[in-house]
């Protein structure tokens, strides 16, 4: 006796949805003999072969129907029914072809079966309504259309509304003409009335017009026999009430029938290896499926996309997939895994969480190094936009975002230093990221803490480092002297800034904004006053000088260095009117 | 602060040990799990038959995002392998995909020994001779195999 696991795929319209069945297995004959990286299509046909056969036959039937080969279409649908008697799409399509062939009773039977298979599927009720209309059961048809309307998506709703209008119209015409027939006994009037109105049945736009004609008629004193809105006769009202009662009954019944469709998988057809990621060799976590049907862990596929825009397994181009940033988890795969290997899924999730915690702990201590970006000299409080295109940095930035740290270390490249970069740097906090369709990005950052490197390492291709964060020693004595020095350097720097020519100034404003105002108690800030960093960035300074200022944790000494530099620059600009060094 | 060996490398190594590729042995170095000592037996019917060829295979830090680095240590007369033992094989270069694995690489190298491809050469003079005078090229390849690959 085969063991059966039930998978509930209530959201799945049919096993073929979003899958390219024609694509087939897509295995490139991996020589290991192991069936690695099965496509979704492979899984679906392995699990539900019969249903898949049914879908193929149904598709065949649809083609015949499009070519108006009704008999052949019906034949294909009948064959499909043997494989997949629960396929609501098949039942609906067969209902449609029966209806077209004028076999209304059978059309109704299939439509009803479709609504039983999928009580929440709007179109089933539409088919039912069409069959009922053909059978002349107008009230029932209206009930079905109303059921369809409450389930239908809003963008399709106007069609249903038209149909409901037509259906009411039909019903009212019948009621009206019946009464006329009985009251006046004039058969010809009946026929005349019906034929006059019948074009409206195929063109809803005509209906309002005929309504207005009717109301004109009603002024002639015939209102009792007409469907004008002013005074509906008793019989019509009771009919409408009957329809509403029936409708309520049906809706209540649907609410109770919790018929969510369950598709079962025989355990012998279920292979856990199908859910091993072909990139990290672990079970899939947050599985993402490419258009070619191959599934990978989201983070694994992201990493591949940093390097190449083709599927790692079959080399199909997935450029559009990348451009549209379609990284939604494939519920089908996730549900399948959760159903049959819940404990493995749990374990895998734990693994992922641990990895994230590890990344999130960056910089916490010497065990948890910070990721290092080697590009330029970053300065505290100053913004630093980066163009990120190298695969290793794409990975690094993504991890900063996913782990939630949103920061990394920036170091200036240095030829003779260990691993090719300076032994100190500045943290950059990520403000926002703009992606280009090919996966590159502009990352807007701003400098924050300064650090000195304790040891350097490499992780998955990018550099990491254990660091010691630097902050200014808060001065406790000679504060007034420090204030004096600060004010003097601030004044000198402002003077230099004012002396810069207009165009350069504008460029500075665009890039770095205006000079930051002096903070209260600036001497207690870990990085000192922000205006100094702003001046250091716009001064034409060599990286080495900037770096030595960065490493300085005494505000007083930084002020002294800056004083000297600004003075030199002013002397170069205006040799005659330069103030003597140290003048205050 | 060396990052631990990725799970994938551990698993690949385990599987390689459990189900080795016929005619190939690949053993990780005792001190470096990313470095493999590889021995390939010359395929039957090829001029390399009877030879035992040593190779080194190294998994770089970015593996599997970048291909393993493989090199012949034993001298071999082959149009797609140069004097330094470097191999001209597309999957080791631009055709690499992270879904490929050590096993695939080893199999491809074995296949390259069975079917030399002088139209996509690395060692130009060897490829030239292979195209102009194949029987002479094969004779030299056999001789090299006897001289360098049957010693121990
Ligand atoms: Zn993975
Ligand atoms: Zn693929």
């Amino acid at each position: 006796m085969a063991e059966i696991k039930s998978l509930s795929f209530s959201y799945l319209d049919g096993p073929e949805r979003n899958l390219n069945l024609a694509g087939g297995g897509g295995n490139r004959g991996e020589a290991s003999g192991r069936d690695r990286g099965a496509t979704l299509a492979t899984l679906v046909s392995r699990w539900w072969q019969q249903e898949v056969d049914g879908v193929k036959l149904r598709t065949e039937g649809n083609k015949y129907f499009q070519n108006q080969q009704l008999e052949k279409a019906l034949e294909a649908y009948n064959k499909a029914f043997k494989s997949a008697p629960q396929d609501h799409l098949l039942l609906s399509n067969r209902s449609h072809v029966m209806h077209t062939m004028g076999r209304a009773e059978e059309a109704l039977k299939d439509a009803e079966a479709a609504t039983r298979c999928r009580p929440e599927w709007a179109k089933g009720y539409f088919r039912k309504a069409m069959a009922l209309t053909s059978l002349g059961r107008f009230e029932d048809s209206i009930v079905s259309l109303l059921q369809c309307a409450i389930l239908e998506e809003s963008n399709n709703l106007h069609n249903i509304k038209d149909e409901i209008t037509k259906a009411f119209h039909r019903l009212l015409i019948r009621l009206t003409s019946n009464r006329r027939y009985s009251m006046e006994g004039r058969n010809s009037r009946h026929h005349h009335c019906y034929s006059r109105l019948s074009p409206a049945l195929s063109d809803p736009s005509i209906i309002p017009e005929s309504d207005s004609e009717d109301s004109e008629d009603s002024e002639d004193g015939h209102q009792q026999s007409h469907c004008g809105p002013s005074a509906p006769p008793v019989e019509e009202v009771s009919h409408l009430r009957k329809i509403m009662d029936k409708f309520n009954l049906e809706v209540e019944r649907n609410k109770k029938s919790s018929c969510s469709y369950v598709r079962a998988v025989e355990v012998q057809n279920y292979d856990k290896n199908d859910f091993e990621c072909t990139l990290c060799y672990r079970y899939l976590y947050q599985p993402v499926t490419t258009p070619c049907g191959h599934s990978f862990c989201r983070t694994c596929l992201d990493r591949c996309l940093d390097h190449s825009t083709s599927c790692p397994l079959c080399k199909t181009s997935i450029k559009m997939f990348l451009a549209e940033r379609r990284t939604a988890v494939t519920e089908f795969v996730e549900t399948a895994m959760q159903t049959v290997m819940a404990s493995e899924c749990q374990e895998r999730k734990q693994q992922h969480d641990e990895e994230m915690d590890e990344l999130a702990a960056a910089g916490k201590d010497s065990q948890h190094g910070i990721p290092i970006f080697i590009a330029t000299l970053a300065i505290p409080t100053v913004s630093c936009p980066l163009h990120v295109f190298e695969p290793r940095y794409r990975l690094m930035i993504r991890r900063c975002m996913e782990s939630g740290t949103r920061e990394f270390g920036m170091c200036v490249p240095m030829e003779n230093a260990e691993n090719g970069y300076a032994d100190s740097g500045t943290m950059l906090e990520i403000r926002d990221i703009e992606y280009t369709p090919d996966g590159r990005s502009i990352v807007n950052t701003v400098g924050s803490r300064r650090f000195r490197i304790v040891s350097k390492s490499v992780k998955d291709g990018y550099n990491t480092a254990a660091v010691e964060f630097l902050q200014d020693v808060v001065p406790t004595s000679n504060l007034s002297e420090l204030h004096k020095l600060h004010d003097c350097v601030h004044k000198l720097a402002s003077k230099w800034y004012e002396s810069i020519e207009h165009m350069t100034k504008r460029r500075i404003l665009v890039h770095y904004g205006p000079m930051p105002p002096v903070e209260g108690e600036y001497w207690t800030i870990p990085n000192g006053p922000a205006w100094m960093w702003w001046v250091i960035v716009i001064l034409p300074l060599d990286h080495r000088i900037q770096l030595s200022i960065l490493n300085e944790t005494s505000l007083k000494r930084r002020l002294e260095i800056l004083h000297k530099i600004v003075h030199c620059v002013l002397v170069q600009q205006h040799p005659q009117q330069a103030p003597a060094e140290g003048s205050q | 602060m060396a990052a631990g060996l990725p799970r994938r490398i551990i698993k690949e190594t385990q599987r390689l040990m459990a189900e080795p590729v016929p005619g190939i042995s690949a053993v990780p170095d005792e001190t470096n799990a990313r470095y493999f000592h590889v021995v390939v037996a010359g395929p039957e019917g090829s001029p390399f038959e009877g030879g035992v060829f040593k190779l080194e295979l190294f998994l770089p830090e970015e593996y599997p995002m970048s291909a393993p680095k493989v090199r012949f240590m034993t001298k071999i007369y082959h149009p797609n392998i140069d004097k330094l033992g470097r191999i001209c094989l597309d999957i080791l270069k631009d055709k690499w995909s992270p879904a490929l694995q050590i096993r695939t690489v080893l199999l491809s190298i074995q296949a390259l020994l069975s079917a030399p491809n002088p139209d996509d050469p690395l060692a130009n003079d060897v490829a030239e001779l292979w195209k102009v005078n194949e029987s002479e090229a094969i004779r030299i390849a056999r001789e090299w195999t006897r001289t360098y690959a049957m010693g121990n």
Side-chain angles (χ1 to χ4, degrees):
Chain A
M1 193 80 191
E3 194 188 340
I4 301 238
K5 296 266 181 180
S6 292
L7 299 182
S8 160
F9 289 115
S10 50
Y11 49 83
L12 200 73
D13 265 353
E16 84 295 358
R17 179 161 163 191
N18 294 333
L19 303 179
N20 176 14
L21 281 173
N27 276 300
R28 293 189 306 154
E30 288 268 347
S32 71
R34 187 181 280 275
D35 182 20
R36 295 173 76 240
T39 59
L40 286 199
T42 313
L43 294 182
V44 165
S45 49
R46 196 190 305 156
W47 294 345
W48 303 298
Q49 187 54 53
Q50 274 227 318
E51 247 179 290
V52 171
D53 291 344
V55 170
K56 282 181 184 154
L57 285 162
R58 156 154 60 79
T59 314
E60 207 177 289
N62 293 351
K63 274 193 202 122
Y64 285 128
F65 185 77
Q66 270 161 20
N67 296 330
Q68 267 122 42
Q69 295 170 272
L70 299 185
E71 290 293 343
K72 279 194 155 163
L74 184 59
E75 202 179 308
Y77 289 149
N78 284 340
K79 262 194 233 161
F81 182 76
K82 286 191 186 121
S83 296
Q86 299 268 46
D87 179 0
H88 63 294
L89 291 174
L90 165 67
L91 290 164
S92 160
N93 290 0
R94 195 166 71 169
S95 170
H96 189 40
V97 79
M98 293 284 200
H99 180 253
T100 315
M101 292 166 97
R103 293 158 70 171
E105 286 287 355
E106 288 151 293
L108 178 63
K109 231 176 94 190
D110 275 348
E112 279 177 334
T115 62
R116 271 196 305 275
C117 288
R118 286 299 166 89
E120 76 293 347
W121 190 54
K123 198 153 184 191
Y125 299 96
F126 185 79
R127 292 271 180 256
K128 192 174 161 186
M130 294 300 107
L132 286 165
T133 304
S134 289
L135 290 168
R137 292 164 58 183
F138 294 161
E139 283 106 335
D140 292 337
S141 170
I142 290 170
V143 171
S144 281
L145 282 171
L146 290 173
Q147 276 179 288
C148 175
I150 56 170
L151 294 166
E152 187 57 271
E153 285 166 32
S154 48
N155 54 335
N156 285 334
L157 217 53
H158 64 277
N159 284 330
I160 311 298
K161 281 186 190 157
D162 286 348
E163 284 301 332
I164 293 175
T165 314
K166 283 193 239 170
F168 270 112
H169 206 95
R170 264 182 229 116
L171 177 67
L172 292 173
I173 288 166
R174 174 190 286 169
L175 295 176
T176 311
S177 50
N178 281 353
R179 182 158 339 98
R180 271 200 187 134
Y181 182 69
S182 58
M183 276 166 62
E184 302 169 15
R186 275 169 59 183
N187 228 340
S188 58
R189 171 82 169 129
H190 168 206
H191 283 300
H192 168 69
C193 174
Y194 200 89
S195 60
R196 180 170 66 90
L197 285 168
S198 56
L201 299 181
S202 52
D203 184 1
S205 64
I206 300 174
I207 290 176
E209 267 180 36
S210 47
D211 268 353
S212 67
E213 273 179 47
D214 281 355
S215 52
E216 268 171 38
D217 267 358
S218 70
E219 282 165 24
D220 300 341
H222 290 289
Q223 71 261 54
Q224 261 127 326
S225 53
H226 284 273
C227 48
S230 48
V234 181
E235 196 185 336
E236 272 85 338
V237 170
S238 77
H239 261 280
L240 293 182
R241 192 166 293 142
K242 237 161 62 192
I243 289 172
M244 286 322 289
D245 288 346
K246 245 185 180 171
F247 171 64
N248 279 336
L249 209 75
E250 286 288 330
V251 169
E252 282 308 310
R253 208 169 60 194
N254 265 2
K255 272 187 199 157
K256 277 174 205 145
S257 74
S258 58
C259 170
S260 70
Y261 184 45
V262 169
R263 218 171 243 127
V265 177
E266 285 179 37
V267 155
Q268 79 224 35
N269 289 336
Y270 192 96
D271 185 351
K272 282 182 189 173
N273 286 326
D274 287 336
F275 299 101
E276 188 185 271
C277 172
T278 48
L279 299 171
C280 66
Y281 285 44
R282 299 180 292 187
Y283 289 122
L284 293 165
Y285 179 69
Q286 296 181 332
V288 170
T289 307
T290 57
C292 46
H294 291 117
S295 301
F296 309 94
C297 310
R298 186 171 51 77
T299 52
C300 289
L301 183 61
D302 278 345
R303 224 184 137 186
C304 285
L305 288 169
D306 291 341
H307 293 259
S308 148
T309 54
S310 55
C311 170
L313 268 172
C314 68
K315 298 279 179 186
T316 304
S317 168
I318 47 175
K319 240 187 193 136
M320 285 314 291
F321 182 83
L322 172 66
E324 290 164 11
R325 310 197 68 73
R326 282 189 272 168
T327 49
V329 163
T330 312
E331 280 180 71
F332 175 83
V333 177
E334 207 169 48
T335 310
M337 292 178 76
Q338 286 291 351
T339 310
V340 186
M341 40 198 288
S343 67
E344 284 92 342
C345 287
Q346 186 54 37
E347 212 172 287
R348 180 68 178 85
K349 184 187 182 306
Q350 216 170 324
Q351 236 172 36
H352 176 86
D353 291 348
E354 277 164 23
E355 282 164 15
M356 278 299 132
D357 289 348
E358 182 75 20
L359 292 172
K364 199 181 71 184
D365 50 47
S366 60
Q367 299 303 306
H368 298 91
I370 55 165
I372 300 287
F373 200 122
I374 305 166
T376 181
L377 191 92
I379 305 283
T381 71
V382 174
S383 77
C384 179
L386 296 165
H387 180 202
V388 179
F389 53 91
E390 262 186 82
R392 57 178 174 156
Y393 290 135
R394 282 157 68 160
L395 172 67
M396 192 187 98
I397 297 289
R398 202 165 47 244
R399 284 182 173 171
C400 286
M401 296 308 285
E402 281 173 5
S403 66
T405 62
R406 295 180 73 107
E407 61 170 3
F408 54 89
M410 174 60 84
C411 289
V412 72
M414 200 165 277
E415 248 177 57
N416 298 319
E418 185 194 349
N419 292 13
Y421 61 98
D423 291 330
S424 58
T426 306
M427 296 302 283
L428 285 176
E429 286 174 9
I430 300 171
R431 286 288 159 89
D432 60 76
I433 303 181
E434 295 157 44
Y435 290 95
T436 56
D438 58 1
R440 288 174 300 140
S441 57
I442 304 290
V443 180
N444 288 310
T445 66
V446 65
S448 59
R449 292 177 290 176
R450 296 168 284 159
F451 59 82
R452 194 173 8 239
I453 289 172
V454 180
S455 67
K456 293 177 178 176
S457 183
V458 175
K459 183 186 175 85
D460 299 324
Y462 59 82
N463 289 278
T464 61
V467 298
E468 193 180 270
F469 290 104
L470 301 177
Q471 45 179 309
D472 284 359
V473 182
V474 181
T476 48
S477 57
N478 291 336
L479 264 180
S480 62
E481 234 169 87
L482 183 73
H483 293 333
K484 236 168 159 184
L485 177 63
H486 170 270
D487 295 348
C488 161
V489 180
H490 185 257
K491 209 170 109 190
L492 204 60
S494 308
K495 184 179 168 192
W496 166 70
Y497 176 62
E498 287 310 317
S499 74
I500 296 173
E501 58 134 346
H502 182 66
M503 283 308 288
T504 318
K505 231 188 228 168
R506 272 198 39 195
R507 249 179 292 140
I508 290 170
L509 275 174
V510 167
H511 274 92
Y512 305 106
M515 186 194 249
V518 178
E519 300 92 342
E521 304 206 352
Y522 54 82
W523 58 93
T524 61
I525 301 170
N527 282 327
W531 69 265
M532 283 182 74
W533 299 116
W534 181 86
V535 172
I536 287 163
V537 156
I538 61 174
L539 276 169
L541 290 179
D542 185 84
H543 272 349
R544 257 167 309 175
I545 298 171
Q546 287 180 323
L547 205 56
S548 69
I549 300 174
L550 261 182
N551 289 337
E552 188 55 71
T553 53
S554 154
L555 174 58
K556 181 164 170 278
R557 251 172 291 156
R558 268 206 318 276
L559 282 165
E560 284 165 357
I561 298 171
L562 190 60
H563 188 199
K564 229 180 242 170
I565 295 167
V566 177
H567 182 81
C568 284
V569 172
L570 277 171
V571 168
Q572 276 171 11
Q573 274 178 358
H574 311 281
Q576 296 87 18
Q577 34 172 299
E581 189 173 341
S583 79
Q584 292 174 11
Chain B
M1 216 188 68
L5 205 58
R7 169 114 176 152
R8 156 149 180 177
I9 295 180
I10 299 170
K11 273 210 172 171
E12 268 201 72
T13 309
Q14 283 169 352
R15 285 178 192 171
L16 220 46
M17 300 291 122
E19 324 161 40
V21 186
I24 301 177
S25 97
V27 183
D29 189 81
E30 277 173 22
T31 57
N32 184 353
R34 289 178 175 271
Y35 186 95
F36 288 76
H37 302 273
V38 179
V39 178
V40 178
E44 255 177 65
S46 78
F48 312 102
E49 186 176 347
V52 173
F53 298 87
K54 282 188 190 162
L55 294 88
E56 59 177 10
L57 183 148
F58 179 71
L59 305 175
E61 180 65 32
E62 298 82 40
Y63 181 81
M65 290 303 135
S66 55
K69 306 214 178 310
V70 198
R71 194 172 74 91
F72 270 81
M73 310 288 280
T74 306
K75 261 179 90 105
I76 182 167
Y77 193 82
H78 190 289
N80 308 104
I81 300 161
D82 75 0
K83 286 193 189 81
L84 298 172
R86 291 176 301 193
I87 307 163
C88 180
L89 190 59
D90 56 357
I91 63 156
L92 291 177
K93 300 189 170 75
D94 54 322
K95 292 283 159 54
W96 172 254
S97 154
L100 298 175
Q101 40 178 324
I102 302 172
R103 181 184 297 275
T104 342
V105 169
L106 296 178
L107 281 163
S108 302
I109 291 171
Q110 202 176 41
L112 198 64
L113 293 187
S114 295
N117 178 12
D119 295 323
D120 185 18
L122 193 67
N124 271 314
D125 49 335
V126 182
E128 204 48 46
L129 186 64
W130 218 282
K131 274 195 277 193
V132 195
N133 188 349
E134 194 179 340
S135 58
E136 175 62 4
I138 288 174
R139 191 193 63 75
I140 300 175
R142 281 216 182 91
E143 196 178 297
W144 280 43
T145 304
R146 266 198 304 279
T147 314
Y148 303 109
M150 292 187 190
N152 43 354

